Amino acid sequence: GMVVSSLTNDDAGNIVFAENIPWDSTGDIYAITSLEDPTPKKVATMQNYIYSNVAGNLRAGGDVTKNGVLSMFVDISNYYLACNIVDGVGGDTTYGDFGGAETSTVWNIENACIAPLGASIADGFLATWYGVETLISNESGTWTPISADVFMWDDNNCSISEAVYDGTHYAAVGLGSHFEYSTTGAYLFDLSNGRMIYRYSADSNEFNNAGATADVALVPMQDALLMFYTDLNKGVLACVEIK
């Protein structure tokens, strides 16, 4: 009976999903561990007590059935929620803000994203949202830009995906079109040096008037890194192979 608002995967390949969590409410997070047995398993319950419309755009790190971490962005107040999972048991919800980082009010939960950098809250996070011109990280304890030389002028920063391929840690940012004339796509960063190494640009005459919603997913294969990107407004679904 739930309405799935977020769908993601963790580092172990589990499919993780949840509803948005309204202000002053709690929400359950579920995982599917195998397509042979697609019964959802509840892995955590998170609380949103930050003044907002909703918390959402779920991301996961580690293995949420064993030891992992969950994160959600909270609109209006520009906070985030996070929850550790230890030995298969979801812990209490932790709240954080973006103090010291460039901020602008994000009214739509799909125009911002925060993603774990590892398998616990202590490993830090990556974040981006409407009005932020690059990917930022608090791995060092302070929110700082991943790259000072990359400016994402597109309208909405909707999603983050990170993965390790061939010994290098990568992160991609997906941007959704807000206006019909917007040119949007995905940026790929090398997290070891903050360098932007690839940009996929999606421009189309088609405009679905569906809201600025986009997603990106990095999938490491044996001989290539695949970057999937989708933009609902532009009707774009793309896969880029990076070797």
Side-chain angles (χ1 to χ4, degrees):
M2 71 181 296
V3 177
V4 176
S5 301
S6 295
L7 183 68
T8 187
N9 62 285
D10 64 11
D11 298 325
N14 299 305
I15 300 170
V16 191
F17 61 93
E19 291 185 286
N20 287 340
I21 305 176
W23 172 45
D24 202 23
S25 301
T26 61
D28 295 328
I29 317 298
Y30 293 88
I32 295 174
T33 60
S34 170
L35 295 181
E36 296 177 357
D37 179 16
T39 304
K41 174 185 177 182
K42 187 170 80 170
V43 295
T45 299
M46 298 180 72
Q47 301 84 34
N48 178 18
Y49 297 144
I50 300 294
Y51 177 75
S52 59
N53 289 319
V54 294
N57 210 350
L58 175 73
R59 290 296 189 266
D63 184 341
V64 299
T65 68
K66 298 175 182 177
N67 296 289
V69 59
L70 303 166
S71 58
M72 282 184 166
F73 191 87
V74 183
D75 64 12
I76 301 179
S77 297
N78 285 21
Y79 272 66
Y80 62 91
L81 314 179
C83 172
N84 279 331
I85 298 171
V86 179
D87 295 330
V89 179
D92 294 334
T93 302
T94 296
Y95 300 85
D97 63 18
F98 296 96
E102 176 189 355
T103 59
S104 58
T105 300
V106 178
W107 298 96
N108 190 327
I109 198 64
E110 283 138 5
N111 299 153
C113 188
I114 178 164
L117 267 169
S120 74
I121 293 172
D123 293 325
F125 298 93
L126 299 168
T128 191
W129 63 89
Y130 179 81
V132 171
E133 295 174 342
T134 188
L135 185 64
I136 62 173
S137 169
N138 70 346
E139 184 178 18
S140 64
T142 302
W143 287 104
T144 55
I146 289 294
S147 175
D149 300 323
V150 176
F151 299 101
M152 301 183 296
W153 294 113
D154 308 89
D155 296 294
N156 290 275
N157 306 1
C158 301
S159 57
I160 299 170
S161 180
E162 55 84 33
V164 176
Y165 169 67
D166 196 23
T168 301
H169 198 176
Y170 295 95
V173 179
L175 298 98
S177 58
H178 186 65
F179 300 106
E180 187 168 0
Y181 53 78
S182 299
T183 302
T184 59
Y187 289 78
L188 181 65
F189 292 90
D190 180 342
L191 293 180
S192 67
N193 55 24
R195 190 167 60 94
M196 191 272 288
I197 60 174
Y198 183 79
R199 181 189 178 190
Y200 169 74
S201 180
D203 195 7
S204 170
N205 293 326
E206 181 178 2
F207 190 73
N208 297 319
N209 199 26
T213 302
D215 210 341
V216 65
L218 292 178
V219 181
M221 305 295 287
Q222 184 174 354
D223 59 352
L225 178 67
L226 303 182
M227 183 173 72
F228 291 89
Y229 170 75
T230 183
D231 184 341
L232 187 61
N233 251 347
K234 289 289 188 178
V236 171
L237 174 61
C239 177
V240 178
E241 183 181 67
I242 298 162
K243 294 185 176 182

